[in-house]
Amino acid sequence: MFEITFLGTASAVPTIARNLPSIAVRHEGDFFLLDCGEGTQRQMLMHGVSCMKVKAIFISHPHLDHLTGVSGLVETMALGGRTEPLAIYCPKEASRFFVKKNFVQIVEIGGHLTWDFGKFEARAFPNLHTKPSFGFVFEEKEKIRFFEQKAKAAGIRGPMFSEIMRKGEIAVGGKKIKLKDVTYRQAGKKIVYSGDTAPCQAVAKAAKDADLLIHEATFCSDRQEEAKKSRHSTAIQAAEVAKKAGAKKLALTHISARYPDPSAILAEAKQVFENCIVAEDGMKIKI
Amino acid sequence: MFEITFLGTASAVPTIARNLPSIAVRHEGDFFLLDCGEGTQRQMLMHGVSCMKVKAIFISHPHLDHLTGVSGLVETMALGGRTEPLAIYCPKEASRFFVKKNFVQIVEIGGHLTWDFGKFEARAFPNLHTKPSFGFVFEEKEKIRFFEQKAKAAGIRGPMFSEIMRKGEIAVGGKKIKLKDVTYRQAGKKIVYSGDTAPCQAVAKAAKDADLLIHEATFCSDRQEEAKKSRHSTAIQAAEVAKKAGAKKLALTHISARYPDPSAILAEAKQVFENCIVAEDGMKIKI
């Protein structure tokens, strides 16, 4: 299960209601940040995201509004005595903005695009904004679950569960039991963050069948030209990507300060994709 | 008259109640910032400080918590189409943290320590923290005011007021009137910001007879050793400096996250200096 906390849902400029972009993703006890705009560390305090439990920060692109919160957060971790490694995955151009500390490991996105976090995998994919700019997929690994009744009927008990998992089969009372006959595969949850982007096939592909697509929706259709010029998306465009991807749920974020009331954003998107919300600072979603 | 708005009253780490350090000083229609910690631009929105009306930013020393708000604020000004110059007065070591824009003029503190803003003067003075580190004095220029009755009795009317101001004397009906006989000097208001500092003579001297001394009080006396080691002040030490200076009012800021309830800070300071307050984010003082 992933728990998403929206820490900042503004676009380039903060408003009284919306801080600069950042999203916390919790998986079991660990937190991961998607972007880290100015003021993120204080938003974390306000919305229950422990800075010491952040394992990694993912920066989508080297625009200031998505990364000026990193150095202050790292300073606070250092003052708190942190020694545990903190990975910062970012385009090369972003790293010059970060204060350097011993526990910080900068990982440039590009050479590698996939990282294994044990129970889930994180992937970066190029989107359509500046160069470089990325979106991110977090996907839990598939789990093998036992059919409780079938396993019991086959006589599997105690340590035999781990043995059949390890070997793929096991002999019980002279009879060979195959793993696939007593188990099923449970798909992991998948969440996708578009980053800042014009509507594009890359996001639709990355978000295929996602349980949650978090897509930027900087503008309404009244500003379609401006969206096109600045390589951002309108609410309808974001909804179209979610529909194309077959995503189960859509959360819109990166809302321009021009829309203090986001109801127009929501109404536009819902014309195309019904299971849609506009994120607010502090909103939490469990997937 | 100066109007002070406390935008951030925390020390190194923000809390839910206190943002990182920044103080806005308004003089007539212009704003000036003393330090600019992370999140300052959003605090400005919340507390009515227009970012387009900021004429200059003064950075006391090159520690991140006092300056990471500069770049985001400058970006927001740029997005707002600013072309009007913005001066940033800072120690040389601080300037590398700031995004560069055409309208930004970086002025290193050191070569010069005094700047003229027309109706008031700003001065920097070295305090006792890191090297380099400064406090600031804002002092209105002395005004020459007419004794209304005396001027009238001497026959001064209309354009004669500006003539006697310009020439120092004027002939009225064959009689010579000297400026000093019909005017008095009105002292300007003086406010002083200690910056981050151990208690020191330099602040006491700079704050002589100040209408308001804004002094850091990171700790209570229970942490006197820690204050000494990190070159910060306790509340009592700040109050002693205010007393020595003969300041009229003392506002304590830069409060450690260790004191969510500042009443102990206030009680300590009041033992030494009665006209004292602990600043809160959003608090305004007119001097």
Side-chain angles (χ1 to χ4, degrees):
Chain A
M1 191 193 76
F2 293 108
E3 185 186 63
I4 318 298
T5 305
F6 290 93
L7 296 172
T9 59
S11 60
V13 171
T15 68
I16 288 176
R18 297 182 188 275
N19 200 55
L20 290 166
S22 186
I23 299 164
V25 179
R26 186 168 67 80
H27 194 265
E28 299 187 349
D30 297 332
F31 284 103
F32 302 83
L33 297 184
L34 295 166
D35 286 324
C36 186
E38 182 184 351
T40 294
Q41 61 168 326
R42 195 160 178 230
Q43 295 292 98
M44 291 165 70
L45 285 175
M46 288 177 176
H47 303 300
V49 176
S50 161
C51 86
M52 289 311 203
K53 289 184 179 162
V54 173
K55 298 293 166 194
I57 304 174
F58 295 78
I59 300 296
S60 62
H61 64 297
H63 283 171
L64 281 187
D65 52 321
H66 288 251
L67 58 76
T68 41
V70 171
S71 288
L73 178 58
V74 165
E75 279 284 336
T76 294
M77 289 170 172
L79 285 169
R82 178 161 181 154
T83 54
E84 199 199 342
L86 172 77
I88 305 180
Y89 299 88
C90 63
K92 188 179 175 184
E93 291 77 355
S95 62
R96 69 190 170 97
F97 295 103
F98 308 148
V99 65
K100 306 294 182 281
K101 296 281 173 194
N102 284 339
F103 61 85
V104 173
Q105 184 201 4
I106 308 273
V107 183
E108 283 171 21
I109 301 176
H112 291 274
L113 290 172
T114 302
W115 302 279
D116 191 322
F117 288 94
K119 294 188 177 166
F120 75 92
E121 190 179 80
R123 297 192 293 276
F125 61 91
N127 58 18
L128 195 60
H129 188 49
T130 56
K131 266 188 174 178
S133 180
F134 298 91
F136 299 101
V137 178
F138 280 22
E139 188 167 11
E140 287 179 316
K141 293 177 186 171
E142 201 180 56
K143 285 176 187 154
I144 293 173
R145 299 281 197 190
F146 283 90
F147 291 113
E148 211 175 315
Q149 290 305 323
K150 281 191 187 176
K152 197 174 168 184
I156 298 174
R157 301 282 182 282
M160 294 159 78
F161 281 101
S162 58
E163 192 180 338
I164 189 172
M165 280 289 271
R166 211 167 54 242
K167 295 181 177 170
E169 57 178 40
I170 196 171
V172 183
K175 200 179 158 199
K176 194 177 282 180
I177 313 290
K178 292 200 165 167
L179 181 64
K180 70 177 170 58
D181 295 334
V182 290
T183 59
Y184 62 99
R185 291 173 179 272
Q186 188 185 55
K189 297 293 181 186
K190 178 178 175 180
I191 58 172
V192 178
Y193 171 51
S194 71
D196 279 17
T197 187
C200 67
Q201 184 58 30
V203 176
K205 194 177 153 196
K208 187 164 165 28
D209 301 330
D211 295 283
L212 173 67
L213 170 59
I214 303 166
H215 201 293
E216 73 124 294
T218 311
F219 299 107
C220 278
S221 297
D222 63 325
R223 301 235 170 215
Q224 199 167 335
E225 277 311 301
E226 199 170 337
K228 196 174 170 183
K229 249 180 10 198
S230 56
R231 293 201 161 187
H232 285 296
S233 300
T234 65
I236 284 189
Q237 289 169 338
E240 282 164 350
V241 171
K243 191 177 174 186
K244 197 180 285 178
K248 296 187 184 69
K249 186 179 177 81
L250 172 64
L252 301 174
T253 189
H254 201 267
I255 311 299
S256 164
R258 283 196 184 79
Y259 307 99
D261 171 5
S263 59
I265 297 262
L266 187 63
E268 278 203 3
K270 275 187 178 271
Q271 289 173 32
V272 174
F273 191 92
E274 177 53 34
N275 193 12
C276 173
I277 55 167
V278 177
E280 306 287 343
D281 285 19
M283 184 186 274
K284 288 178 191 278
I285 303 176
K286 286 184 183 177
I287 297 289
Chain B
M1 190 194 77
F2 293 108
E3 185 186 62
I4 317 298
T5 304
F6 290 94
L7 296 171
T9 58
S11 59
V13 171
T15 68
I16 289 176
R18 296 182 189 273
N19 200 55
L20 291 166
S22 186
I23 299 163
V25 179
R26 186 168 68 78
H27 194 264
E28 299 188 350
D30 297 332
F31 284 104
F32 302 83
L33 297 184
L34 295 167
D35 286 323
C36 187
E38 183 184 351
T40 294
Q41 62 168 326
R42 195 161 177 229
Q43 296 291 98
M44 290 166 69
L45 284 175
M46 288 180 177
H47 303 300
V49 176
S50 161
C51 86
M52 289 311 202
K53 290 184 178 161
V54 173
K55 298 293 166 195
I57 303 174
F58 295 78
I59 301 295
S60 62
H61 65 297
H63 282 171
L64 281 188
D65 53 322
H66 289 251
L67 57 77
T68 41
V70 171
S71 288
L73 178 59
V74 165
E75 278 286 334
T76 294
M77 289 170 172
L79 285 168
R82 178 161 182 153
T83 54
E84 199 199 340
L86 172 77
I88 305 180
Y89 300 88
C90 62
K92 188 179 176 185
E93 291 77 356
S95 61
R96 67 191 172 97
F97 295 103
F98 308 147
V99 65
K100 305 296 182 282
K101 296 281 174 196
N102 284 339
F103 61 85
V104 173
Q105 185 202 2
I106 308 273
V107 183
E108 283 170 22
I109 301 176
H112 290 274
L113 291 172
T114 302
W115 303 279
D116 191 323
F117 288 94
K119 294 191 178 165
F120 73 92
E121 189 180 81
R123 297 192 292 275
F125 61 91
N127 58 18
L128 194 59
H129 188 50
T130 56
K131 266 188 176 178
S133 180
F134 298 91
F136 299 101
V137 178
F138 280 22
E139 187 167 12
E140 287 180 316
K141 293 178 186 171
E142 201 179 57
K143 286 177 188 153
I144 294 174
R145 301 280 197 192
F146 284 90
F147 291 114
E148 212 174 314
Q149 290 304 324
K150 282 191 185 175
K152 199 175 168 185
I156 299 174
R157 301 281 182 281
M160 294 159 78
F161 282 101
S162 58
E163 192 183 335
I164 188 172
M165 280 288 272
R166 212 168 52 243
K167 295 181 177 169
E169 58 179 40
I170 195 171
V172 183
K175 200 180 160 203
K176 195 178 282 179
I177 313 289
K178 293 200 166 169
L179 181 65
K180 69 177 173 53
D181 295 335
V182 290
T183 58
Y184 62 98
R185 292 172 178 271
Q186 188 185 52
K189 297 293 181 184
K190 177 179 176 179
I191 59 172
V192 178
Y193 171 50
S194 70
D196 280 16
T197 187
C200 67
Q201 184 57 30
V203 176
K205 195 178 154 195
K208 187 165 166 28
D209 302 329
D211 295 283
L212 173 68
L213 170 60
I214 302 165
H215 201 293
E216 74 124 294
T218 310
F219 300 107
C220 278
S221 296
D222 62 327
R223 302 235 170 214
Q224 198 167 337
E225 277 311 302
E226 199 171 337
K228 196 174 171 184
K229 246 179 13 196
S230 57
R231 292 200 162 189
H232 284 296
S233 299
T234 65
I236 283 187
Q237 289 169 338
E240 282 164 351
V241 171
K243 191 176 174 185
K244 197 180 285 181
K248 295 188 184 67
K249 186 179 176 80
L250 172 65
L252 301 174
T253 189
H254 201 268
I255 310 298
S256 164
R258 282 194 186 81
Y259 308 100
D261 171 6
S263 58
I265 296 262
L266 186 63
E268 277 201 4
K270 275 186 177 272
Q271 289 173 33
V272 174
F273 192 91
E274 176 55 32
N275 193 12
C276 172
I277 55 167
V278 176
E280 306 288 342
D281 286 20
M283 183 186 274
K284 289 178 191 278
I285 303 176
K286 286 184 183 176
I287 297 289

